Amino acid sequence: MLGYLSLLLLLNLSVTGGSKRCPYHCLCYESSDLVDCHSKGFTQVPHGLPHGTWLLDLGGNKLGALQRGTFAGLWSLRILVLSSSGIQLLQPQALSSLSFLEKLDLSHNELRRLPPDFSHSLSSLRELRLDNNYLEHLDLPSLERLESLEKLDLSRNRIETVELGAFRGLSRLRHLYLQENQLAAVREGMLTMLLGLEVLLLGHNNISTIETEALMSLHSLSLLSLEGNQLKHLRFKTFLNLHTPGTHLLLSGNPWDCDCDLHRVFSKLLSVRHLHVDDYRNVTCYEPAQLAGASLAWVDSQLCVAETATVLVITLTVLVTVVAAIFMAERNRKKNQGKVGTRSESELDLQEK
C-alpha cells in the first residue's frame, strides 16, 4: 500500500520540467520533493536523486543488495519505499544519513538477516515494515536504536527466535506484528520495556509455551492475538499479570486439551473485568479424542458438571465411610470399657469372699 503512496497523493500535481534534476526513468513531482521510481527495472539505486527528496518510491525493482552509503546526502528523506525489490542483503551503513527518515518499507523482499548496525541511523523512524521476508532471528543490536518507532511489522517471516532484550530500545512502540512466523515460545524478557505496546499479534506461529512472567511489562496492551498456535494449556496467572485497563484476547485455533482444568482457567479469564476472550465461542477441543471439534463452552455443561457431580458423590461416600468408622470405633471403645468395668467388679467380689 505504501508503495503507491506517491501516486495516490499526486494525482493533481504536475511533473517537474526538464530544468529540474531527476533520475532517468523516474518521475519527480513538486520541485522534486517526491520521486517515483517504482517498477522501472533498476538493479541499483539510481544516481542523481535530488537532495531535497522527501518521499522516494523504489518499490518493484530488482535491487538485490543495498551498498554502503547508498542514500548519502538525502538528508530530507522522510519516506522510503523499497518493497518488492528482490533485496537479499543490506551492507553495513547502507542506510546511513537517513537520520530524519520516518517511514521505511522493506516488505516483500528476500532478507534473511538484519545487519547489527541496521538501526544506527534511524533514530527518527516511526514505522518499519519488514513483513514477507525470510528473517529467521532477531538479534539484540539490530533494533536497539529505534527509540522513536511506533509500528513494527515482522509478520510472515521465518522467525524462530527473538533474542531476549531485542525490543528493549523500542520504548515508544505501540504496534508489534509477529504473526505467521515460527516462534515456539513467549519467553520472559522477550517483551521487556514495551510499556506502551497496545497491539501484539502472535497468531499462526508454533507457540506452545507462554512463560508466566512473559507479559508482565505490557501495561498498555489492548489486543493480544494468539490464535492458530500450538497451545494446549494455559496458566491463569500468565494473563492475570496483564495489569491493563482492558485487554482483548484471541485464542481460537489451538489444539486445546479440554479437561476441566482448562475450562476453569477460561472461566477465570472470563470473570476478570479487564480481560476479554473475544473468540471464546470458537475455542474448540483437540483432545481428548471423544471431544475433538467440540466447543470448550459445551465442555462446561457436559463434562465438567458430570465431573463435579462425580467428585461430590465420591466425597460424600468417603465422608459417610469416615463417619461410620468413627461411630463404630467409639461404639467398640464404650463396649470394651463396659467389659473392663464388669471384670473389675467380679474380681473385687472374689477378693471379699
Side-chain angles (χ1 to χ4, degrees), residues 254-258 283-296 298-299 303:
N254 283 280
W256 297 110
D257 185 358
C258 287
V283 174
T284 56
C285 305
Y286 183 79
E287 293 179 336
Q290 61 268 30
L291 293 175
S295 169
L296 181 61
W298 180 86
V299 173
L303 177 65

Side-chain angles (χ1 to χ4, degrees), residues 248-261:
H248 293 264
L249 306 172
L250 297 176
L251 294 165
S252 62
N254 283 280
W256 297 110
D257 185 358
C258 287
D259 55 16
C260 291
D261 287 337

Side-chain angles (χ1 to χ4, degrees), residues 274-285:
H274 69 276
L275 297 178
H276 313 279
V277 185
D278 290 355
D279 57 352
Y280 178 62
R281 292 294 172 184
N282 295 324
V283 174
T284 56
C285 305

Side-chain angles (χ1 to χ4, degrees), residues 35 43 53 65 67 79 157 200 203 213 270 273 353:
V35 180
T43 57
T53 300
Q67 306 297 325
I79 301 176
N157 276 277
L200 175 58
E213 309 295 331
L270 294 170
R273 182 175 298 179
K353 290 178 180 180

Side-chain angles (χ1 to χ4, degrees), residues 23-24 26 35 37 41-50 56-59 61-72 74 77 80-82 85 87 90 94-95 98 106:
Y24 185 63
C26 297
V35 180
C37 301
F42 290 116
T43 57
Q44 60 182 12
V45 176
H47 298 291
L49 290 166
L56 174 59
D57 186 349
L58 280 164
N61 287 289
K62 303 174 182 178
L63 301 179
L66 295 183
Q67 306 297 325
R68 177 177 180 175
T70 295
F71 302 101
L74 297 180
L77 202 59
L80 175 57
V81 181
L82 294 164
S85 292
I87 299 174
L90 298 176
L95 302 174
L98 299 180
L106 280 162

